[in-house]
Amino acid sequence: MIIEPRTRGFICLTSHPTGCEQNVINQIEYIKSKGKIDGAKKVLVIGASTGFGLASRITSAFGSDAATIGVFFDKPATEGRPGSPGYYNTAAIEKHAHQAGLYAKSINGDAFSNEIKEEVVNLIKEDLGQVDLVIYSLASPVRKHPNTGKRFKSVLKPIGEVFTNKTVDFHTGKVSEISINPAEGEDVENTVTVMGGEDWKMWMDALSKENLLAEGATTVAYSYIGPEVTKPVYRNGTIGAAKDHLEATAFTIAEDLKAINGNAYVSVNKALVTQASSAIPVIPLYISLLFKIMKENGTHEGCIEQIQRLYSERLFGGDLDLDEKGRIRIDDLEMKEEVQAAIAELWKDATSENLAEIGDLKGYSDEFFNLFGFKVDGVDYDVDVNEMVQIPSIK
């Protein structure tokens, strides 16, 4: 079939298998071009099919020749209906890892569930024995609690008062004002339950219980802080409360891992175009301005460049350079004073008429479509493709 992008708001309803594979190949080639990283050799990535999780799996495999297990929740294709991009990404990374002689297997299901944890535990026991790095990169709006069966839904809301600011429809370039009502009832608690650190700790407890963590094992979860302009709705809002919980959980897990000389960290990453960030009002406008400035400065990074730098310079480079709250700051280039000052000035002047000039809305839009395998250089979108791609390790 010929597959074209079909969008609804910040969601693309279709994905292109060849484009997704080319995206993965591009990331693999970047990692190979940067040379080897003396990193972990047996790696579990929870939330492994897109964004930072996918980049982590690629960097582990092709930067350190690691055996990788990826956990994710994605839809396979059915006849005449493409699968989700994460499914195609995973098929591609397994294919190319196997061609390179690397171990790579995947498990598709609800990572919050006890059943998927048990499946992963059994796979590690059978194939790897232990793992020495666990990446936690889940981004889900909903969580069914594995012990109670209760379903929790996260919300993106400010706390205390209405948030009003600019946003942009990145499909049309229209800049408008948006107001978001504050959290109410159990909004904060529910968001923390979905996006906080409880599930990360459950994963680490499950692995520890079965002695599946190697001596000196490390675990890393990803977080975001962001600029002043997004602070009321992001870091000081419901999601920020969840990130605070996630970051606090790192210390609890680190204490648990002392017995094996292991450690737990949170890496604060840069604002990037991901399926999750596209859903957050204000963020597309901020990112379009950020991209313009960082590209002009020569400091722009995508997911794969961020994670390569995290691995090579921080995790396995000898200098974690933790901040005052014990976090790895790989958002350092984004948060430079001069970058943030420039964005603040541009923000005040941003309109529908001038955004194409003062920002990089095209770059934002292209990266959004790249997530789904579209607008990828070198791919002919006018030819038929087979949507029924299989992940080798999933029958």
Side-chain angles (χ1 to χ4, degrees):
M1 63 186 293
I2 291 177
I3 305 174
E4 298 178 340
R6 288 194 298 112
T7 61
R8 186 176 65 218
F10 57 83
I11 298 171
C12 190
L13 304 173
T14 51
S15 59
H16 198 282
T18 307
C20 288
E21 180 174 7
Q22 187 60 51
N23 245 338
V24 169
I25 291 171
N26 292 345
Q27 293 184 62
I28 291 171
E29 290 305 313
Y30 175 79
I31 292 301
K32 288 163 71 173
S33 76
K34 301 297 284 186
K36 289 300 180 185
I37 300 168
D38 186 16
K41 299 302 183 186
K42 297 178 181 180
V43 180
L44 169 64
V45 183
I46 303 157
S49 63
T50 59
F52 287 117
L54 175 65
S56 300
R57 190 174 190 188
I58 291 170
T59 304
S60 293
F62 295 92
S64 302
D65 296 325
T68 61
I69 293 174
V71 184
F72 53 89
F73 202 6
D74 278 286
K75 289 183 179 178
T78 54
E79 290 287 347
R81 190 181 185 94
S84 62
Y87 204 88
Y88 290 142
N89 291 340
T90 302
I93 190 174
E94 279 204 17
K95 170 185 170 182
H96 290 278
H98 296 164
Q99 287 176 355
L102 299 171
Y103 173 99
K105 287 189 178 180
S106 308
I107 290 177
N108 188 15
D110 179 7
F112 293 131
S113 72
N114 291 329
E115 290 77 15
I116 291 299
K117 290 181 177 68
E118 185 178 351
E119 198 173 331
V120 171
V121 161
N122 290 336
L123 182 58
I124 294 171
K125 281 181 181 177
E126 291 169 12
D127 289 5
L128 302 182
Q130 292 181 317
V131 294
D132 45 8
L133 177 64
V134 179
I135 297 292
Y136 188 84
S137 185
L138 281 192
S140 172
V142 176
R143 179 187 179 205
K144 180 181 177 183
H145 200 283
N147 298 335
T148 66
K150 185 176 178 181
R151 189 172 179 270
F152 296 90
K153 187 174 182 181
S154 65
V155 296
L156 176 79
K157 292 182 179 180
I159 296 174
E161 57 186 29
V162 175
F163 171 75
T164 301
N165 213 318
K166 293 178 180 178
T167 190
V168 64
D169 181 330
F170 62 88
H171 296 301
T172 65
K174 182 181 179 182
V175 176
S176 60
E177 192 171 82
I178 187 170
S179 292
I180 306 172
N181 290 325
E184 54 189 16
E186 297 180 343
D187 283 346
V188 175
E189 180 185 340
N190 290 346
T191 304
V192 170
T193 302
V194 177
M195 302 181 70
E198 183 185 35
D199 183 64
W200 182 23
K201 188 171 188 310
M202 284 181 164
W203 271 100
M204 299 309 296
D205 287 347
L207 297 169
S208 296
K209 181 182 176 183
E210 299 296 331
N211 193 31
L212 300 180
L213 298 172
E215 179 74 12
T218 299
T219 183
V220 181
Y222 296 139
S223 188
Y224 181 64
I225 293 176
E228 288 295 320
V229 72
T230 66
K231 189 171 283 186
V233 73
Y234 195 90
R235 194 66 206 201
N236 288 352
T238 52
I239 290 184
K243 295 300 185 185
D244 288 343
H245 187 274
L246 179 79
E247 291 169 15
T249 302
F251 293 102
T252 305
I253 295 173
E255 190 64 31
D256 294 342
L257 294 180
K258 280 184 177 178
I260 59 165
N261 297 308
N263 220 322
Y265 301 104
V266 164
S267 174
V268 180
N269 298 352
K270 175 194 173 193
L272 287 169
V273 183
T274 64
Q275 292 184 56
S277 69
S278 299
I280 304 173
V282 185
I283 292 288
L285 177 57
Y286 169 73
I287 289 180
S288 69
L289 299 175
L290 177 72
F291 278 15
K292 178 83 168 183
I293 292 165
M294 294 191 76
K295 285 178 181 179
E296 288 177 351
N297 292 346
T299 57
H300 175 68
E301 295 172 314
C303 284
I304 195 67
E305 291 87 0
Q306 274 265 287
I307 298 303
Q308 196 280 335
R309 187 158 66 92
L310 170 67
Y311 276 42
S312 65
E313 295 183 10
R314 304 298 178 81
L315 282 180
F316 307 111
D319 186 7
L320 289 166
D321 195 19
L322 303 179
D323 71 4
E324 72 283 356
K325 293 188 176 180
R327 302 170 297 199
I328 301 170
R329 298 299 295 270
I330 207 74
D331 66 339
D332 49 351
L333 302 179
E334 172 190 356
M335 299 310 295
K336 282 188 172 182
E337 284 186 23
E338 59 268 30
V339 172
Q340 290 302 314
I343 290 173
E345 284 301 309
L346 293 173
W347 188 277
K348 291 186 291 187
D349 300 330
T351 65
S352 305
E353 290 71 32
N354 68 9
L355 184 58
E357 179 184 345
I358 69 170
D360 186 22
L361 196 60
K362 182 183 184 300
Y364 184 100
S365 179
D366 287 349
E367 290 208 21
F368 171 81
F369 283 105
N370 286 172
L371 295 174
F372 300 88
F374 297 108
K375 297 188 179 182
V376 179
D377 289 344
V379 177
D380 187 348
Y381 292 98
D382 294 324
V383 302
D384 281 316
V385 293
N386 177 18
E387 74 279 14
M388 299 299 290
V389 174
Q390 299 299 315
I391 295 173
S393 69
I394 297 177
K395 306 304 179 189

